[in-house]
Amino acid sequence: MQAAYVLGIDVGGTAVKMAVFTEDAEMKQKWSIPTNKTNNGESILDDISASFHEMVEREGYTKDQFIGAGVGVPGFIDMEEGVIEFAVNIGWRNYPITALLSEKLGVPVRVDNDANLAAAGEFWKGAGSDVEDLILFTLGTGVGGGLIVKGDIIHGVGGMGGEIGHVTVIPEGGAPCNCGKTGCLETVSSATGMVRLAHEAAKEFPTSKLTKHYQDTGEMTTKEIFAFSADGDEAARKVVDISMYYLGLSAANIANVLNPAKIVIGGGVSAAGDDLLKPLTHYYNKYALEKVKSDSTFVLAELGNDAGVAGAAWLAKQYVTK
Amino acid sequence: MQAAYVLGIDVGGTAVKMAVFTEDAEMKQKWSIPTNKTNNGESILDDISASFHEMVEREGYTKDQFIGAGVGVPGFIDMEEGVIEFAVNIGWRNYPITALLSEKLGVPVRVDNDANLAAAGEFWKGAGSDVEDLILFTLGTGVGGGLIVKGDIIHGVGGMGGEIGHVTVIPEGGAPCNCGKTGCLETVSSATGMVRLAHEAAKEFPTSKLTKHYQDTGEMTTKEIFAFSADGDEAARKVVDISMYYLGLSAANIANVLNPAKIVIGGGVSAAGDDLLKPLTHYYNKYALEKVKSDSTFVLAELGNDAGVAGAAWLAKQYVTK
């Protein structure tokens, strides 16, 4: 029997990541191309296709070894119709991506939201590969995420399922969020939110090490915030405490509703590792139901930037081969 | 072809409700028997069985017209194994209900949590029969509920899915909840929670009509709280406002995660109708994402006390015929 492969594609604002996987989740090739956003991204699919065909030839594959491709895109998507309703960072609007890309690649294509596919990637071959129910929090510039329930992505009726960054955690007087609301989880538990909190803490603790470091270097990143906090600095500790308090409360409330086996923490902020997990689980344990707590484990994401292509390949395996 | 029927059974603390449905959700018979809790409920299944066989004979059915039975029980349940881990109000513990009941009834049996089955009932033939994704809030003595996603019940890894009454809405200083935590939605948006808030409001507004009514009659129910609130009484208005504020916030946060098509409000408190829905949707609209809001509609439950047996019959149709 001929080996069967799936292609995973993760379209980002600066690069399109691509990878070839076996159906058993083994990654065979990985590469990326720049995202050409000229004219609302009209050449992106041609670039993807050319790069795929060139790789097939170069690596000695034959095209009929590929059973399908999955593609992740940041934006509002009609998964069933395969249409990007709006991808603000790419420029696509009402864009029938699966029909177009499937013709160019010569294989069936399925599309989903990039945040959902990161969760699917961790579920297929990462931190959640031993469970069927997980929540992924991706802590980066914003707070993204995805929900896997009974081994499949939760989309909801309009594709908005898993918008866990926009759970309201500060109902009154919270900071404005990019979504138009205020007090969303993203405003306090993203890298951007933590840096904002650090600037507030700097006013409250003008002589703290974190504040002085910022005054001296002009630098304030979550890496520094966690490091100064671990070192006992009161300004940094307050920022970490606030940020993890709201993340723990939100995680507990989502878990009280979904009863997951794992809660996976990914994104750049998760590099803090135990310095993040310790306060996070403290607050989670305070607000989760007893059995929900004992059913769930916190783990760090394992795939890093590969989560998106892995999830996209899983999507192809899951949906286009049926 | 012979008509095919399913039996729905809803085991409650005082009565066992039973009903016969066609596979198309038409209710043919409905009756109930007392719940005999003597000796940890050891005779309940015999009572159900005797009552079923008597009904089959009396109504002129034949037993082979029944393709299966579903049973709803309040408690912790292992649905896959068909075992009641603990049903505190009934007395069952580690009770292999599907094996026992299926032998007695002579048809395959499937079990689920009664709150989940109420949601499934509204989904099958009630307020949510036109959608695939809904949230049910049952506002009674407590706040129960269930989640239907893509036409099926969300259980989570340990059967705790849908515990929406125990989402924490008052993280600090909230009232104690039966679950052992504090500040759960149930402490402010159940009938019990509203009455507790009304007693607090009575102290703050000693001359209000609600307070006087309570002093005169000793009565304080949610019916009266909503009625006095509609009449402009400041104590009652405050209670309704607090209760619906937290319910709206919770509903929005769960909807931001699950993106449902309908949010169904049931239970005794829902008798308040528009007096409840109006403040509820006001706060929901404040905290739900724009698209989540436009995708969802609030509706009152339609099946009342029949939701449980309808959901149990749906469960049988869904799972035991496959």
Side-chain angles (χ1 to χ4, degrees):
Chain A
M1 197 191 102
Q2 233 186 356
Y5 298 105
V6 279
L7 175 67
I9 307 166
D10 183 9
V11 180
T14 54
V16 179
K17 298 186 195 76
M18 300 170 75
V20 175
F21 288 84
T22 67
E23 287 188 275
D24 299 328
E26 190 192 340
M27 190 192 275
K28 306 299 282 185
Q29 256 79 38
K30 178 171 84 160
W31 72 102
S32 74
I33 58 173
T35 305
N36 183 349
K37 294 197 277 189
T38 320
N39 291 330
N40 292 323
E42 67 173 13
S43 76
I44 294 174
L45 298 190
D46 284 328
D47 295 348
I48 290 172
S49 174
S51 165
F52 170 67
H53 291 295
E54 189 271 328
M55 182 282 308
V56 165
E57 184 133 328
R58 186 184 65 235
E59 301 295 338
Y61 292 104
T62 59
K63 225 190 57 191
D64 56 9
Q65 287 176 308
F66 284 83
I67 55 180
V71 55
V73 177
F76 296 108
I77 299 167
D78 183 331
M79 290 83 176
E80 294 308 320
E81 296 297 320
V83 173
I84 309 290
E85 294 172 0
F86 189 33
V88 62
N89 288 329
I90 313 292
W92 292 333
R93 191 185 276 273
N94 297 323
Y95 194 66
I97 188 168
T98 60
L100 294 172
L101 188 56
S102 147
E103 199 190 321
K104 290 178 203 290
L105 293 178
V107 298
V109 173
R110 175 100 181 174
V111 65
D112 208 317
N113 178 281
D114 62 342
N116 288 340
L117 292 186
E122 292 290 344
F123 160 67
W124 192 37
K125 67 167 285 165
S129 62
D130 53 342
V131 301
E132 290 284 298
D133 298 83
L134 69 82
I135 304 171
L136 170 71
F137 285 90
T138 303
L139 310 177
T141 313
V143 173
L147 312 173
I148 304 290
V149 170
K150 290 184 194 167
D152 206 354
I153 298 167
I154 292 277
H155 289 113
V157 67
M160 295 291 284
E163 283 293 339
I164 57 189
H166 301 288
V167 161
T168 300
V169 293
I170 305 177
E172 308 301 326
C177 184
N178 288 327
C179 75
K181 299 196 293 144
T182 60
C184 293
L185 179 62
E186 178 162 305
T187 66
V188 284
S189 301
S190 64
T192 320
M194 291 189 76
V195 170
R196 184 184 58 77
L197 291 172
H199 284 289
E200 287 180 11
K203 290 175 201 152
E204 190 182 350
F205 303 100
T207 61
S208 83
K209 286 182 197 167
L210 181 69
T211 310
K212 284 190 172 150
H213 173 81
Y214 175 64
Q215 286 162 349
D216 292 348
T217 65
E219 276 176 19
M220 183 89 93
T221 67
T222 59
K223 188 179 168 187
E224 287 153 328
I225 295 167
F226 277 106
F228 280 106
S229 172
D231 198 34
D233 178 70
E234 55 188 352
R237 285 181 66 165
K238 180 163 183 183
V239 172
V240 169
D241 190 62
I242 293 173
S243 182
M244 292 305 117
Y245 169 80
Y246 287 117
L247 186 60
L249 173 63
S250 303
N253 277 345
I254 298 171
N256 288 335
V257 172
L258 293 180
N259 189 197
K262 288 215 173 155
I263 302 174
V264 184
I265 309 294
V269 179
S270 72
D274 283 345
D275 290 339
L276 179 153
L277 290 182
K278 209 180 151 191
L280 172 58
T281 50
H282 169 77
Y283 289 117
Y284 176 80
N285 288 339
K286 183 169 174 187
Y287 298 116
L289 283 161
E290 218 37 66
K291 179 157 165 55
V292 166
K293 211 186 305 184
S294 66
D295 282 342
S296 60
T297 315
F298 275 88
V299 287
L300 296 171
E302 291 177 0
L303 302 186
N305 287 330
D306 293 345
V309 285
W314 169 86
L315 185 71
K317 172 182 144 20
Q318 196 72 1
Y319 283 99
V320 304
T321 64
K322 280 175 181 168
Chain B
M1 199 190 102
Q2 233 184 355
Y5 299 105
V6 279
L7 174 67
I9 307 166
D10 183 9
V11 180
T14 54
V16 179
K17 297 187 196 76
M18 300 171 74
V20 175
F21 287 84
T22 67
E23 287 189 276
D24 298 330
E26 190 192 341
M27 190 192 275
K28 305 299 285 184
Q29 255 79 37
K30 179 171 83 161
W31 73 102
S32 75
I33 58 174
T35 304
N36 183 348
K37 294 196 276 188
T38 320
N39 291 329
N40 292 323
E42 68 173 12
S43 75
I44 294 174
L45 298 190
D46 283 328
D47 295 349
I48 289 172
S49 175
S51 165
F52 170 66
H53 291 295
E54 190 271 326
M55 182 283 308
V56 164
E57 184 134 328
R58 186 184 66 235
E59 301 295 339
Y61 291 105
T62 59
K63 225 190 56 191
D64 56 8
Q65 289 177 309
F66 285 83
I67 54 179
V71 56
V73 178
F76 295 108
I77 299 167
D78 184 332
M79 290 84 177
E80 294 308 320
E81 297 297 319
V83 173
I84 309 290
E85 294 173 0
F86 190 33
V88 62
N89 288 328
I90 313 292
W92 292 333
R93 191 186 276 273
N94 297 323
Y95 195 66
I97 188 168
T98 60
L100 294 172
L101 188 56
S102 146
E103 198 190 321
K104 290 178 202 290
L105 293 178
V107 299
V109 172
R110 174 102 183 173
V111 65
D112 208 316
N113 178 282
D114 62 342
N116 289 340
L117 292 187
E122 292 291 344
F123 160 68
W124 193 36
K125 64 167 288 166
S129 62
D130 53 343
V131 302
E132 290 285 297
D133 298 84
L134 68 83
I135 304 171
L136 170 71
F137 286 90
T138 303
L139 310 176
T141 312
V143 173
L147 311 173
I148 304 291
V149 169
K150 290 184 195 167
D152 207 353
I153 297 168
I154 293 278
H155 290 114
V157 67
M160 296 290 285
E163 283 294 337
I164 57 188
H166 301 288
V167 161
T168 300
V169 294
I170 304 178
E172 308 302 327
C177 184
N178 288 326
C179 74
K181 299 195 295 147
T182 60
C184 293
L185 179 62
E186 179 162 304
T187 67
V188 284
S189 301
S190 64
T192 320
M194 290 188 77
V195 169
R196 185 184 57 77
L197 291 172
H199 284 289
E200 288 181 11
K203 291 174 200 154
E204 191 183 350
F205 303 100
T207 61
S208 82
K209 287 182 197 166
L210 181 69
T211 310
K212 286 191 170 149
H213 172 82
Y214 175 65
Q215 287 162 347
D216 293 348
T217 65
E219 278 176 18
M220 183 88 94
T221 67
T222 59
K223 188 178 169 187
E224 286 153 329
I225 294 167
F226 277 107
F228 279 107
S229 172
D231 197 35
D233 177 70
E234 55 189 352
R237 284 181 66 166
K238 181 164 183 183
V239 173
V240 169
D241 189 63
I242 293 173
S243 181
M244 292 305 116
Y245 169 80
Y246 287 117
L247 186 59
L249 173 62
S250 303
N253 277 345
I254 298 171
N256 288 335
V257 171
L258 294 179
N259 189 197
K262 288 212 175 159
I263 302 173
V264 184
I265 309 294
V269 179
S270 71
D274 283 345
D275 290 340
L276 179 153
L277 290 182
K278 209 181 151 191
L280 172 57
T281 50
H282 169 77
Y283 288 117
Y284 176 81
N285 287 338
K286 185 170 173 187
Y287 297 116
L289 283 162
E290 217 37 66
K291 180 158 165 54
V292 167
K293 210 186 307 183
S294 66
D295 282 342
S296 60
T297 314
F298 275 88
V299 287
L300 296 171
E302 290 176 1
L303 301 185
N305 288 331
D306 293 346
V309 285
W314 169 86
L315 184 72
K317 172 182 142 27
Q318 197 72 2
Y319 284 98
V320 304
T321 65
K322 279 177 183 168

